Every structure is written in structure tokens, then in C-alpha cells.
Amino acid sequence: MPKPPRVIGVLTEPAPPSWWRANRHKVLLAAGLLIGYLIGTHLDGAPAPQPDIPRPGHTAPAPRPHPTATVLGLAA
């Protein structure tokens, strides 16, 4: 049982805080860290990587220049 407040002249000294009021920030910090750790280690953050789509190789012949470019002399 907390002690009654002590009277100092006209002012009164507040009663000491309860255990919960004095330590709730520590309890909530520990609970938050524990929950964050469990979420971070037990949930998949990213989906599994998909296999790459095959692309054509470099064995295809080079494209032929457009006929208009060769007439105008623009083909390299």
C-alpha cells in the first residue's frame, strides 16, 4: 500500500509511482524487440526468385540494312 502524500507547507509531495508506472517503458521495449525479432526471422520478406526467361543467343546473323539507306549512301 503506498504511503499517503506528505504535506510540505501548502504543497504536497506526490505518492511514489507504482511498479508498472515506473517500469512500463522497459516492459514495452522488451516486448517490442521480441515481437520485431520474431516477425523478422519467421516471415519471408521477399518472394522466391523466378527463373530467368531464356533469351536468344548471339548466333543470329546481323540484320541487313534497309534498302533506302544503301541507295542514299547512309549505310555503314
Side-chain angles (χ1 to χ4, degrees):
M1 179 106 174
K3 297 188 302 185
R6 189 176 77 176
V7 177
I8 307 172
V10 180
L11 303 175
T12 59
E13 182 179 321
S18 65
W19 182 91
W20 171 248
R21 187 161 180 93
N23 296 304
R24 66 181 169 189
H25 63 283
K26 296 174 188 174
V27 172
L28 294 176
L29 173 68
L33 288 173
L34 178 65
I35 291 171
Y37 173 77
L38 292 174
I39 288 174
T41 57
H42 290 85
L43 292 180
D44 293 332
Q50 299 295 320
D52 291 333
I53 298 172
R55 297 177 53 189
H58 296 287
T59 58
R64 299 181 69 171
H66 193 270
T68 308
T70 55
V71 172
L72 298 175
L74 299 174

